[in-house]
Amino acid sequence: MVNDLEADVSAVSRIDAVPAILEVICRTSGMGFAAVARVTEDRWIACAVRDDINFGLKPGGELKVETTICNEIRASRKEVVIDHVAEDSVYCQHHTPAMYGFQSYISMPIFYPDGRFFGTLCSIDPSPAKLNRPEIVKMFRLFADLIMFHLQAQDKLELAQDNLRHERDMAARRERFVATLSHDLRNPLAAIDAGAEILKMESLGSRGATALQMIQRSVQRMVALVDDVLDVARVRLGTGVPVVRRNILTQADLEQVIDELRSAWPDREIRTAVAISRDVPCDRSRISQLFSNLVGNALAHGASDAPVHVEANCRDGVFEFSVANQGTPIPADMLETLFEPFSRHSNSHQNSRIGLGLYIASEVARAHGGTLHVSSAEDGTRFWFRMPLSQEAENDIGDNAGHDRSDDKANAD
């Protein structure tokens, strides 16, 4: 209960309008003291105070609740207005005015929307005042309602913030769980792959060799999926896609990616116009991953009887490449979410991934200070990546140009 009362006092003190309300009350009514009080059965606490008569009470200060008229208002639930105590038939002999030395008094109850009593908006002065007028009473009533409105708004805001914190905490827990699970899946996959490599050295029949090949392809696919999920978890947890910009990308690296995809898609044509006239400072593994994702994506979703066009060059201090394919255009509403996780823009039977390739590609582009865009119309779909070639990135390579992360290839979405 004590903590609740302290929270109520603090809540009133955070309402920016309260000091202005108390000033208006004093100036309009001619009263020298005004306060917002939290009143319970056993406590009277000043939440906010304007004191021009040196009454001596400050925010957080208390009066004995039984000595106050506010305690009676809590019981009666009605306002009290006194113009002149000495001439008032009800309060001329009352102990409260005599104890605190005031002659004029007004106090308006403040109620919660559900009818519960919060406290009062009250004002006193040692001299008589003309308070029992409709405009004064209505002003107090309006300000009492306004104070409660702000208190309720604070409660709703705090509840929303608590819910948001809870949701963020739960989301972070889920992301950490996914990251941990994905990391732990690497060990059994590595064991399966190692076992498959051992079996390759054995004499196997055609069925055994075919089964072993299927196992290794499945392992490679699982590793790629795990890597994708790990990358997404890193981004969602705020660490971002890990990038090591202490190596370089060459034309040979992109040609190697093209060769790998041609092997994986032997019935498809990939036409290239790759002319990289200089070394490109970047995380070679990640840019190759981005390149592979885009080309593989075009192969998976493009028309099977039309070639995929790939262009790459360095021009005007910018490294860029584009991938274009023919086929059904991507709907406009899907273009808006295409680079979000788990977004899939085709019902093709070849689209068997979980929709992370383009999202990871966009994060790799972002991590390099680059941009990734898409356009799609009847004449084809085109993705293009652009990255500034900064001098700082080149200098950062230094003697570490040969230090390279292990390739982290990921097939296209």
Side-chain angles (χ1 to χ4, degrees):
M1 181 64 177
V2 174
N3 290 337
D4 290 343
L5 291 178
E6 291 175 352
D8 290 338
V9 173
S10 176
V12 173
S13 69
R14 293 196 302 271
I15 301 175
D16 294 336
V18 164
I21 288 173
L22 298 183
E23 180 181 1
V24 170
I25 284 175
C26 289
R27 290 182 179 276
T28 303
S29 66
M31 309 287 275
F33 176 91
V36 178
R38 179 71 171 96
V39 183
T40 67
E41 291 183 0
D42 52 7
R43 298 185 71 180
W44 188 104
I45 309 173
C47 301
V49 172
R50 180 182 177 88
D51 186 1
D52 296 333
I53 59 174
N54 296 319
F55 185 72
L57 195 63
K58 297 183 181 301
E62 297 194 35
L63 301 176
K64 290 184 178 181
V65 67
E66 63 272 14
T67 67
T68 68
I69 296 177
C70 294
N71 187 43
E72 299 171 15
I73 293 174
R74 181 187 61 78
S76 68
R77 304 173 66 85
K78 296 180 180 179
E79 69 266 19
V80 172
V81 183
I82 308 172
D83 287 347
H84 192 177
V85 169
E87 296 178 0
D88 191 283
S89 61
V90 176
Y91 290 97
C92 62
Q93 301 298 324
H94 198 282
H95 63 278
T96 298
M99 178 178 292
Y100 294 114
F102 61 80
Q103 283 297 312
S104 53
Y105 175 90
I106 181 170
S107 184
M108 185 66 61
I110 301 173
F111 297 106
Y112 289 103
D114 61 4
R116 289 179 297 122
F117 181 79
F118 173 86
T120 60
L121 174 61
C122 54
S123 185
I124 64 172
D125 194 87
S127 301
K130 294 182 178 181
L131 302 175
N132 201 0
R133 294 177 289 159
E135 60 270 25
I136 296 294
V137 175
K138 287 180 180 179
M139 177 185 69
F140 268 79
R141 187 171 295 128
L142 175 63
F143 283 153
D145 291 342
L146 182 60
I147 290 169
M148 179 49 63
F149 172 81
H150 280 286
L151 288 173
Q152 289 297 105
Q154 281 189 10
D155 288 344
K156 291 178 181 178
L157 178 60
E158 289 173 2
L159 179 60
Q161 290 174 336
D162 287 343
N163 290 337
L164 180 59
R165 282 191 291 267
H166 175 72
E167 289 300 322
R168 285 177 174 172
D169 180 64
M170 292 302 296
R173 289 172 183 267
R174 287 193 295 268
E175 300 296 345
R176 285 194 293 269
F177 170 76
V178 170
T180 301
L181 178 62
S182 300
H183 185 272
D184 290 347
L185 284 173
R186 287 175 175 269
N187 292 333
L189 287 173
I192 294 171
D193 191 48
E197 287 296 324
I198 293 174
L199 288 175
K200 285 174 64 175
M201 296 183 289
E202 302 292 330
S203 298
L204 299 174
S206 59
R207 292 181 62 187
T210 300
L212 182 59
Q213 192 176 42
M214 291 175 59
I215 290 172
Q216 288 194 298
R217 281 201 300 264
S218 296
V219 168
Q220 292 170 359
R221 175 169 167 72
M222 285 290 291
V223 169
L225 287 171
V226 168
D227 288 345
D228 283 355
V229 172
L230 267 175
D231 282 341
V232 172
R234 290 188 185 106
V235 173
R236 301 292 282 270
L237 288 172
T239 57
V241 172
V243 167
V244 180
R245 298 190 65 166
R246 290 184 176 272
N247 46 52
I248 59 177
L249 180 81
T250 66
Q251 181 162 326
D253 295 315
L254 296 186
E255 291 174 344
Q256 179 182 345
V257 173
I258 295 296
D259 289 340
E260 292 173 356
L261 290 167
R262 280 174 173 152
S263 297
W265 299 78
D267 298 329
R268 298 295 302 279
E269 181 182 2
I270 304 175
R271 295 180 183 177
T272 61
V274 179
I276 302 179
S277 58
R278 53 173 289 181
D279 293 339
V280 178
C282 65
D283 186 323
R284 181 170 64 224
S285 170
R286 285 296 188 181
I287 294 298
S288 295
Q289 177 188 16
L290 190 163
F291 187 65
S292 176
N293 276 3
L294 295 187
V295 179
N297 188 74
L299 291 167
H301 301 295
S304 60
D305 57 350
V308 170
H309 294 268
V310 177
E311 297 181 7
N313 58 68
C314 296
R315 183 185 304 134
D316 299 328
V318 174
F319 167 62
E320 60 182 346
F321 60 73
S322 65
V323 179
N325 64 270
Q326 301 297 312
T328 304
I330 302 171
D333 59 333
M334 291 187 180
L335 284 175
E336 298 177 0
T337 60
L338 199 59
F339 296 117
E340 295 181 3
F342 311 109
S343 174
R344 302 172 69 169
H345 62 279
S346 172
N347 292 323
S348 168
H349 68 279
Q350 295 168 322
N351 186 27
S352 56
R353 293 290 292 277
I354 57 177
L356 296 176
L358 293 178
Y359 173 70
I360 292 171
S362 68
E363 290 299 322
V364 170
R366 187 199 310 273
H368 282 81
T371 58
L372 183 60
H373 299 283
V374 59
S375 64
S376 189
E378 291 296 334
D379 59 349
T381 296
R382 178 173 175 261
F383 289 84
W384 67 96
F385 165 72
R386 303 181 83 251
M387 180 183 72
L389 294 172
S390 64
Q391 186 63 42
E392 291 79 2
E394 292 183 4
N395 295 338
D396 194 39
I397 296 173
D399 296 331
N400 296 296
H403 176 69
D404 191 13
R405 296 178 337 121
S406 59
D407 282 348
D408 190 18
K409 305 291 186 186
N411 293 327
D413 187 286

